[in-house]
Amino acid sequence: MNKKLAIVLMGAAFLAGFMPYVAVKAHWFQPSAVGANPGILVNLDQRDMNRLDELVDRFNRDQGDYLMVISPTIDSGPWIHDVHTDGTQITWTVDNTRDGYSSPKQKQTYKCASIEKIETSESYGIQLSKCGGQGDKLPILDIEKNRER
């Protein structure tokens, strides 16, 4: 085989293997399963906050909805929030079993009759209430404003 042809083929093979890695790390595309499904939130940015706003609005109009929020942690595995509503009751399950540093590892489910968005200067928060003995207000999810895109 010609030496120049071998060098060109090796370079092409390197680029073919390296470019998908660069595309993922540079966020040029999102995995199709997540990017195509607005019911799975992973970035916790402004677009995801808009989708959470839609969940709250739909609940307040007595309409059902479903979301999965995959909340990253700083040093370990994600927390998975599984959210179902029929428009009258919201069921919010928080699963921290994939987080190596959480203790205790568990799935905690809250069944509540009210949900609202709370905004502070630093963050947006989702708060549940009327949860049958869980206290008056239950802060369930915070999204820092500096994560907005």
Side-chain angles (χ1 to χ4, degrees), residues 6-77:
I7 291 172
V8 168
L9 289 175
M10 286 179 27
F14 173 77
L15 287 176
F18 185 69
M19 287 310 293
Y21 174 78
V22 170
V24 169
K25 289 299 181 184
H27 302 288
W28 289 343
F29 73 91
Q30 288 190 349
S32 60
V34 174
N37 189 342
I40 301 174
L41 310 182
V42 296
N43 296 316
L44 301 184
D45 58 6
Q46 185 59 49
R47 185 176 65 161
D48 288 355
M49 193 63 235
N50 292 343
R51 182 60 180 91
L52 285 163
D53 284 341
E54 182 182 339
L55 172 86
V56 172
D57 290 342
R58 288 178 59 85
F59 181 82
N60 290 330
R61 292 190 320 260
D62 298 326
Q63 297 176 343
D65 207 348
Y66 171 75
L67 280 179
M68 178 180 287
V69 180
I70 302 173
S71 176
T73 58
I74 295 171
D75 56 1
S76 188

Side-chain angles (χ1 to χ4, degrees), residues 41-146:
L41 310 182
V42 296
N43 296 316
L44 301 184
D45 58 6
Q46 185 59 49
R47 185 176 65 161
D48 288 355
M49 193 63 235
N50 292 343
R51 182 60 180 91
L52 285 163
D53 284 341
E54 182 182 339
L55 172 86
V56 172
D57 290 342
R58 288 178 59 85
F59 181 82
N60 290 330
R61 292 190 320 260
D62 298 326
Q63 297 176 343
D65 207 348
Y66 171 75
L67 280 179
M68 178 180 287
V69 180
I70 302 173
S71 176
T73 58
I74 295 171
D75 56 1
S76 188
W79 287 33
I80 310 298
H81 298 253
D82 196 27
V83 186
H84 298 266
T85 178
D86 62 3
T88 60
Q89 181 181 43
I90 188 159
T91 303
W92 194 299
T93 301
V94 181
D95 176 0
N96 71 356
T97 59
R98 292 167 183 86
D99 182 358
Y101 294 108
S102 288
S103 180
K105 292 183 187 323
Q106 63 184 356
K107 289 183 183 180
Q108 182 69 44
T109 299
Y110 305 96
K111 294 181 185 255
C112 304
S114 181
I115 183 172
E116 63 183 313
K117 175 183 163 184
I118 307 295
E119 184 174 353
T120 68
S121 59
E122 294 90 31
S123 68
Y124 300 107
I126 300 296
Q127 181 173 278
L128 303 174
S129 58
K130 300 179 186 172
C131 299
Q134 293 288 341
D136 192 28
K137 305 282 182 173
L138 179 64
I140 197 78
L141 183 67
D142 280 319
I143 297 177
E144 296 175 18
K145 287 186 174 180
N146 65 2

